[in-house]
Structure formats: structure tokens, C-alpha cells
Amino acid sequence: MCGRIVQKSGPLDCVERIFPNPRRVFDDPAGPLYNIPPGTRPMAMHRLAGDFELERLHWGWRPHNSKYFMSSARLDKILANAWPWKMLTARGRILVPADGWYEWKPLAEGPKPPKQPHYIHATDNAPLFFTGLSNWRPEAEKDEAHGFTIVTNDAAGGMIDVHDRRPAASTIYAR
């Protein structure tokens, strides 16, 4: 490159290239949600069908013939190519947009102590993007057999007093 580029397309042309159906992206009937648990369908961003999509996928995954329902995937297990993550890492990568997440810290010792919720978010309140792995494919049901998990990592960086794991998250800043 010799230091020059061309930008003749309008902004809407660029947005429509990234979001093939922008009306569907921006007309989400759910509205804001403040307490989304596993087993529901939060928004996810992916290219699992080729084009970029922003749609609601099932949070949680039960591998075929497994008794385990998984809502999170430990990064150390993924990197070790441990079952069942190896089959999702090559073709099931997604992002899950979020404004933050909750951790619940016990207030006392005992079998069922009361817990204090902690809302964790970016200091500037920018949206976060959680790394996820999904088993969803085009034409598949949006159910737990084809759901997704959120990748977690250790809680290094000052959160260890609240919880030992955190979502693998990043922010994207427009400049």
C-alpha cells in the first residue's frame, strides 16, 4: 500500500455489508434485559452460517448423549483440547454482547448462606463482548443440543475476592 485508500461507499452501505439485515438487528422485540440466566436466549454475534448474524441463541449446551448441561467453558480446558471443547473451537466461535455480569458472594459460612450480588462491568460502562463457543448450525433448532457456552478464565486482576473465574471479555472502542 502506498498511503492512499478509496471510500466511495456511503456509511449505510458499510453497515449493510456487516449486518446483512440491519432492520432485524435493530428491531429486537425483547428490549433491555437485566438478569439473564443460562437456559434462556440472549443475543449472540456469529458467522456460523457464513454471514454475520446478531440473533438470540440458547445459552447452555448439552453434548449429545451427555448428562452435563454446560453454561461456561474453562479456558484452560479448551486450550488443552479437552472433551468436549475440541469439536467447537474450530467452527463454533461466537461473541456474546453484555453490559456486565453478576457474581454472588456468600455473606457467611454454612450450607445455604445468604449471598451478596456484585454487578461487574467496564469502568466506562462500555459494552463487553464475551467469548463463546456454540454448537449451533444453520437449520438446527435453537435448543440446548445446539446452544452455546461462555468461555471463562481465572479471575486475575483484582476479582479473586469475589469469584475465582470470570468471563473472557473485551471491549471494542470506536475511534
Side-chain angles (χ1 to χ4, degrees), residues 59-98:
W59 180 10
W61 176 50
R62 187 180 314 276
H64 182 68
N65 291 330
S66 175
K67 64 181 181 178
Y68 300 106
F69 177 79
M70 297 175 254
S71 60
S72 62
R74 291 174 52 131
L75 182 60
D76 56 329
K77 303 291 185 189
I78 294 167
L79 294 175
N81 281 327
W83 177 90
W85 310 118
K86 186 175 184 176
M87 62 181 136
L88 299 185
T89 55
R91 58 180 167 74
R93 298 175 189 186
I94 67 169
L95 290 175
V96 181

Side-chain angles (χ1 to χ4, degrees), residues 93-150:
R93 298 175 189 186
I94 67 169
L95 290 175
V96 181
D99 294 294
W101 75 95
Y102 292 103
E103 295 291 356
W104 297 82
K105 185 175 178 181
L107 294 173
E109 302 273 333
K112 288 196 172 190
K115 295 181 179 182
Q116 171 71 43
H118 292 269
Y119 176 61
I120 300 160
H121 55 91
T123 55
D124 62 357
N125 291 315
L128 301 170
F129 296 89
F130 299 155
T131 303
L133 294 174
S134 178
N135 193 41
W136 185 81
R137 299 290 166 262
E139 310 302 322
E141 294 291 323
K142 292 186 174 125
D143 58 9
E144 65 183 36
H146 304 98
F148 74 86
T149 64
I150 292 176

